[in-house]
Amino acid sequence: MLYYLCMTGNKQNLNNLYYETLDENFNQALKLFEQNIPAHELFELLEHGNIVQKQISALKINSLENIHQAEILVQNLTGQDGKIREAVSLKILELISSNQDFKKYFRKKSIYDTFLNAILDVNSNVCRNIIASVKLLQNDENFCQYFTQNLLNLTQNLINEVKKFDFQDGKYKVNKEVFKLYWCLETIFEFAHIIDINNLKHILSQTKDIDEYTIREKTAKILSKTHNDSELLQIRAELKKDKNYYVRRF
């Protein structure tokens, strides 16, 4: 219907349909919020519902009973509408940071892989929520070993791509890959104290020279943590003389 109206150029009908859809979504969301829905039904909606149902269900979930429920929640972090991804990321952070031991339900490699993908989301709020979530899992040695190694691999792959770019051409691809590298470095900042020093040096010795100040800024931020290694101190000294203020401030 929407495609047909676009092709026929009937803008008035298209606008009417748009506002009717907004009204329907709002009314559906309001109805779901007002209902006292059992927990198992919330997870069913989260698994099989439409955009509004998934979004509201994620926000109404207050607890987890098993790893399967955690998996249903995490599966909606990728490949879904942005409103769903943001609601789910917020709920994951809320559950992991709660006083109850919900962390145990997120201890699975497939979940860690999804978290790694989610820190590269086009929605910055999703990135921030998931970085804050994985930071709270640092007391799990198995998680840290698996997650940080894959994080470093992903970061290196992005560095290899970004190095090829001409930052004067302004292409979307450049911005997209830089955006991903930016969030990888932000995540590394949270794990820098447990990452092998040689691996850290290998990454930062490359990102310090990337011709995009936001990447050098994140590099400097990582180095702002206490490091006694002479090579890292030298990199930090270089960035203290950077042409960009936001890099020098660290």
Side-chain angles (χ1 to χ4, degrees), residues 161-245:
E161 288 300 310
V162 171
K163 279 181 175 180
K164 302 174 186 176
F165 296 154
D166 178 0
F167 285 90
Q168 303 304 314
D169 63 14
K171 291 182 179 178
Y172 174 73
K173 183 179 179 182
V174 173
N175 295 331
K176 182 179 178 181
E177 299 308 310
V178 168
F179 181 88
K180 291 178 180 179
L181 180 55
Y182 174 97
W183 287 110
C184 278
L185 292 173
E186 180 67 19
T187 310
I188 287 175
F189 171 78
E190 301 295 351
F191 288 83
H193 61 291
I194 58 176
I195 292 176
D196 178 81
I197 192 75
N198 291 318
N199 291 335
L200 196 61
K201 285 192 287 188
H202 181 68
I203 293 294
L204 301 184
S205 64
Q206 298 173 84
T207 56
K208 74 178 179 66
D209 293 323
I210 289 179
D211 192 18
E212 164 56 46
Y213 87 87
T214 59
I215 300 304
R216 301 196 309 279
E217 178 187 6
K218 287 300 174 188
T219 304
K221 182 179 179 180
I222 294 169
L223 290 167
S224 67
K225 291 190 171 183
T226 303
H227 292 291
N228 295 321
D229 181 85
S230 59
E231 290 181 48
L232 291 179
L233 289 173
Q234 178 58 38
I235 295 173
R236 188 180 185 192
E238 288 181 39
L239 294 177
K240 279 290 187 182
K241 301 175 183 177
D242 195 272
K243 60 186 177 182
N244 186 283
Y245 161 76

Side-chain angles (χ1 to χ4, degrees), residues 13 43-44 64 75 85 105 125 144 155 163 169 173 219:
N13 287 341
F43 284 99
E44 288 178 6
L64 296 173
Q75 284 166 6
R85 301 196 313 275
Y105 296 128
N125 290 330
C144 288
T155 304
K163 279 181 175 180
D169 63 14
K173 183 179 179 182
T219 304

Side-chain angles (χ1 to χ4, degrees), residues 112-126:
Y112 304 159
D113 291 338
T114 304
F115 283 164
L116 194 62
N117 288 329
I119 67 171
L120 305 182
D121 199 281
V122 296
N123 183 331
S124 297
N125 290 330
V126 175

Side-chain angles (χ1 to χ4, degrees), residues 2 33 37 57 79 82 85 87 115 135 138 146 152 158 192-193 206 223 235 245:
L2 200 58
F33 258 123
I37 304 174
S57 296
R85 301 196 313 275
F115 283 164
K135 178 183 177 181
Q138 289 184 8
Y146 182 85
L152 291 171
L158 288 168
H193 61 291
Q206 298 173 84
L223 290 167
I235 295 173
Y245 161 76

